Amino acid sequence: MEWMNRLSLKARLLVIVFFSISICSFIAISGFLYFNKQEFYRGITEKSRAIHLRLDAAAHYVATQDGLGPVIDRMKAKYKSPEEMTKEDKEIVLKQVPIVAAMKIGSKDADKDNYEFRIFSDEPRNKDNSATKEELEIFMKFKADSALKDLVVNNGETLTVFRPVRLEKEKGCFKCHGDPQTSPWNNGKDILGYKMENWEEGKLHGVFAIKTDFNKLKLASSNHDFIPPEGILILGIILGAVIALIMATLMIKKPIQGLSAITNDLNTSGTQVSSAATQIATSAEELSQATTQQAASLQETSASIEEISSMVSNNTSNAQEASLISEKSLGSTQRGKEVVDHMIKAIGDINISNAGIADQISTTNKEIENIVKIINEIGDKTKVINDIVFQTKLLSFNASVEAARAGEQGKGFAVVAEEVGNLAAMSGAAAQEITSMLESSIRSVEEIVKRSKDSVGKLIIEGKDKVDSGTKIAHECEEVFNDILSNISNVSRMVSEISSASQEQSQGIREITKAVAQLDQVTHQNTSTASQSSSAAGNLSSQASQLNALVQSLVRTIEGDK
Ligand code: HEC
């Protein structure tokens, strides 16, 4: 069958068309022949039956004439025994026997109607009528079934219709085939001298056969249906098949070309589908992996968002705290500013009091100068004292001298003079000491004054400078505080903005969390979808390869194996 696989669809179709036509023609012709033959056989059968009926009718007619009895009587009177009977008289007798008449008629028209007539029996009077083996079988069938009207036997060349012949009293059969007691010659023999068989009513004695030979019939009949010889039929079949083949070739040419183009397209499409399916499978696999990664990332994101959320809530509380602190700072700063204001005022006061101090110091200096003046005056007075002391000494000396001159009486005076001299000396020394003390006092006072003047002036200048720089710094402080104030209010504003932003952030984070949860769900769905599509793609791929195989086999079917 290898050659069959190599056939293209076109060749196959042509082969199919050829065989179909051949087989159809064959079946049609066979059917025609068969039915024709059946019709032919039926015609012959009917004709044979008609002949049988004609024979029956003839027998019946002869029986109804009831000529047998008188003929028998006549022959009995004419002859003493059947042996004496002339052939002609025997014929006369036989002419009155219905069955014989039927036999005669059957034989007479046989040639004219193209059939053969025969009668046979299992126990015949005439040896020619002995049944052959086959005939005996037919005979036994009739014998077994008394209701059987006829039998038709067709062996392909001849058709025979058999009909039973039974003995009937009505037809006078028993005058010869009946009870030997009734013998016309009283010797158990019938009128023609045959031994009477003593048969009974309805006994099957013989079978009529009307046999038709088809060949003879065909030769004889010119008006019968023409059946063309088989050669011509085969030629017709071949011619029809060839014409059908040519037509089929012309008709299937275009569809086959179309089919070829379609299978080519299918082939390319199949390959493309196959590769696409493979790509889809790979993509689905990748998608699956990506989705899994996405899920992991989402979980990480979720965790991060939770962290952020807690950070934001920290921020919010921090911002609130910062807000409080900045409010407090604002208060502190304002107080600081007030303090600075106070300080500036205090510095101003210090400045004023410095000036007061300077005035006071200059006043003090003047007073000190007065003191110095007084000291100088004291010094002057001390000089006076010194002069007095000098005078006193001088007086005491003079007194002592006088006393010495006075002698004893002057002794007491001398002591007093001495004492006065001593006192004067002591006073002089004291005055001297006072003078030196005054001088040193004046010097030290002057020095002190000078020094205090210098240092106080310096101090005042320094103090002034310092107050100036302090004022400057205080003003700078004020500015700085102002800056701080505005900064703090800015900070406060920003902190409140941060606070509200944080609240918005936490709202946003809640929404993000919700969205992430949804995303997570979606990702899970995606994962399952991806795995489904992965398996679907796998299916698709295998189906695509099946499709490919199918297309390949389709191509082989249409174009045959190469
Ligand atoms: C006059 C006497 C006579 C009568 C009546 C008669 N037959 Fe016969 N029959 C004969 C004779 C004689 C033959 C032999 C004829 C021959 O030699 O061919 C015969 C032959 C037959 C045969 C052929 C078989 C054979 O034995 O050779 C059949 C069948 C038959 N008869 C049936 C009948 C039937 C049925 C009737 C009644 C309708 C009948 N016969 C009436 C005398 C008679």
Side-chain angles (χ1 to χ4, degrees):
M1 286 301 176
E2 184 61 33
W3 64 273
M4 228 183 199
N5 293 337
R6 262 184 259 124
L7 286 181
S8 70
L9 183 65
K10 192 175 165 184
R12 279 164 197 246
L13 280 175
L14 291 177
V15 167
I16 287 166
V17 166
F18 177 76
F19 276 104
S20 310
I21 288 164
S22 305
I23 290 164
C24 285
S25 312
F26 179 74
I27 289 169
I29 288 165
S30 309
F32 167 73
L33 288 176
Y34 174 77
F35 287 115
N36 198 300
K37 231 173 200 172
Q38 290 303 311
E39 190 56 32
F40 175 65
Y41 294 150
R42 209 176 59 81
I44 290 171
T45 309
E46 289 313 308
K47 197 188 82 184
S48 305
R49 279 185 179 137
I51 293 165
H52 274 298
L53 288 177
R54 205 163 71 202
L55 302 187
D56 272 5
H60 186 73
Y61 174 75
V62 173
T64 50
Q65 292 301 303
D66 203 20
L68 186 60
V71 167
I72 288 174
D73 290 344
R74 220 170 353 117
M75 293 302 157
K76 245 168 69 181
K78 195 174 175 183
Y79 300 103
K80 291 235 170 59
S81 70
E83 288 80 23
E84 295 168 13
M85 279 175 74
T86 61
K87 211 178 173 194
E88 287 74 30
D89 279 343
K90 279 187 179 176
E91 277 296 312
I92 286 165
V93 172
L94 283 172
K95 265 184 191 166
Q96 296 305 316
V97 177
I99 198 76
V100 175
M103 282 155 72
K104 281 254 160 61
I105 290 168
S107 314
K108 201 186 90 198
D109 291 338
D111 280 346
K112 202 179 85 194
D113 283 346
N114 299 304
Y115 67 87
E116 285 167 38
F117 175 79
R118 178 170 157 73
I119 182 159
F120 56 85
S121 177
D122 56 342
E123 300 169 72
R125 285 187 171 187
N126 185 343
K127 289 272 175 279
D128 295 344
N129 297 335
S130 304
T132 62
K133 210 179 146 203
E134 291 83 39
E135 285 170 344
L136 200 62
E137 276 174 26
I138 302 285
F139 188 90
M140 294 322 281
K141 277 182 189 163
F142 283 118
K143 199 169 185 181
D145 184 359
S146 60
L148 195 61
K149 280 261 159 2
D150 61 23
L151 267 176
V152 180
V153 172
N154 182 353
N155 65 4
E157 286 183 358
T158 60
L159 186 146
T160 315
V161 178
F162 299 97
R163 206 171 155 86
V165 178
R166 293 177 195 279
L167 298 176
E168 288 171 57
K169 189 172 188 273
E170 215 183 30
K171 287 180 181 167
C173 305
F174 297 107
K175 288 199 163 90
C176 297
H177 298 289
D179 187 355
Q181 301 284 317
T182 61
S183 163
W185 309 111
N186 293 314
N187 60 355
K189 290 188 178 173
D190 71 5
I191 191 71
L192 294 171
Y194 286 89
K195 197 176 164 266
M196 288 175 78
E197 289 95 341
N198 196 22
W199 285 328
E200 283 162 14
E201 175 73 20
K203 147 86 165 116
L204 179 73
H205 177 37
V207 173
F208 279 167
I210 308 259
K211 181 167 151 188
T212 309
D213 191 316
F214 304 143
N215 292 326
K216 275 187 196 164
L217 192 66
K218 274 175 200 165
L219 285 175
S221 67
S222 54
N223 63 340
H224 198 80
D225 295 333
F226 173 73
I227 300 169
E230 268 132 44
I232 290 172
L233 280 178
I234 288 165
L235 230 129
I237 290 170
I238 289 170
L239 195 71
V242 166
I243 290 166
L245 265 182
I246 290 165
M247 279 181 73
T249 313
L250 290 175
M251 281 172 87
I252 63 171
K253 196 181 169 189
K254 235 185 167 172
I256 288 285
Q257 281 173 351
L259 261 183
S260 272
I262 287 166
T263 47
N264 280 342
D265 288 356
L266 262 181
N267 210 353
T268 20
S269 306
T271 320
Q272 283 170 1
V273 166
S274 187
S275 74
T278 317
Q279 280 176 6
I280 289 170
T282 329
S283 308
E285 193 65 32
E286 283 172 8
L287 181 64
S288 180
Q289 282 175 4
T291 316
T292 315
Q293 282 177 0
Q294 204 182 9
S297 310
L298 267 178
Q299 270 172 342
E300 280 174 24
T301 308
S302 187
S304 308
I305 282 169
E306 264 171 49
E307 274 176 35
I308 290 170
S309 177
S310 71
M311 276 155 77
V312 165
S313 66
N314 268 356
N315 273 2
T316 312
S317 62
N318 286 347
Q320 279 164 347
E321 242 174 79
S323 177
L324 283 175
I325 288 166
S326 78
E327 267 170 43
K328 274 186 196 164
S329 299
L330 194 65
S332 308
T333 310
Q334 270 163 344
R335 277 205 304 284
K337 209 192 156 211
E338 281 167 22
V339 169
V340 165
D341 284 344
H342 287 312
M343 190 172 83
I344 287 168
K345 210 172 153 230
I347 287 170
D349 289 349
I350 289 167
N351 216 0
I352 292 162
S353 55
N354 263 3
I357 288 165
D359 284 353
Q360 193 64 42
I361 283 169
S362 64
T363 319
T364 310
N365 278 349
K366 273 174 194 158
E367 280 171 1
I368 287 171
E369 276 169 13
N370 284 341
I371 290 166
V372 167
K373 219 186 253 174
I374 289 163
I375 289 170
N376 280 333
E377 281 173 13
I378 291 168
D380 288 347
K381 297 292 189 271
T382 307
K383 270 174 192 163
V384 172
I385 291 165
N386 265 345
D387 284 345
I388 295 164
V389 163
F390 183 69
Q391 291 297 329
T392 309
K393 265 177 180 180
L394 214 53
L395 282 167
S396 106
F397 181 69
N398 287 339
S400 50
V401 166
E402 287 301 316
R405 261 185 243 157
E408 227 24 67
Q409 275 91 16
K411 228 182 166 178
F413 194 69
V415 173
V416 171
E418 212 184 319
E419 261 329 292
V420 168
N422 282 349
L423 281 171
M426 276 168 69
S427 296
Q432 203 62 45
E433 268 178 49
I434 286 166
T435 306
S436 66
M437 274 169 78
L438 281 173
E439 278 172 357
S440 73
S441 288
I442 287 165
R443 267 202 314 276
S444 59
V445 164
E446 277 176 345
E447 229 170 89
I448 286 165
V449 166
K450 197 177 168 252
R451 254 192 314 189
S452 82
K453 230 182 181 171
D454 285 357
S455 63
V456 165
K458 224 162 109 189
L459 278 173
I460 283 170
I461 288 162
E462 275 181 10
K464 211 173 170 259
D465 282 355
K466 278 181 184 163
V467 164
D468 283 350
S469 70
T471 310
K472 209 175 139 200
I473 287 165
H475 279 298
E476 279 176 8
C477 261
E478 197 184 18
E479 276 171 28
V480 167
F481 268 113
N482 280 338
D483 281 357
I484 288 171
L485 256 180
S486 75
N487 283 348
I488 282 171
S489 68
N490 278 347
V491 166
S492 179
R493 208 185 63 232
M494 281 155 116
V495 162
S496 74
E497 277 173 15
I498 287 171
S499 179
S500 68
S502 288
Q503 274 164 356
E504 280 173 21
Q505 262 180 341
S506 38
Q507 175 64 26
I509 281 165
R510 275 198 292 278
E511 278 165 19
I512 287 171
T513 311
K514 226 162 83 184
V516 164
Q518 281 174 353
L519 257 180
D520 196 42
Q521 220 180 335
V522 169
T523 304
H524 278 295
Q525 280 175 0
N526 277 358
T527 311
S528 68
T529 310
S531 68
Q532 277 175 5
S533 68
S534 175
S535 67
N539 265 353
L540 184 65
S541 180
S542 70
Q543 278 175 8
S545 56
Q546 278 181 14
L547 182 70
N548 254 353
L550 283 176
V551 167
Q552 290 304 325
S553 76
L554 187 63
V555 167
R556 278 200 303 279
T557 309
I558 288 170
E559 291 175 4
D561 286 344
K562 279 175 187 153

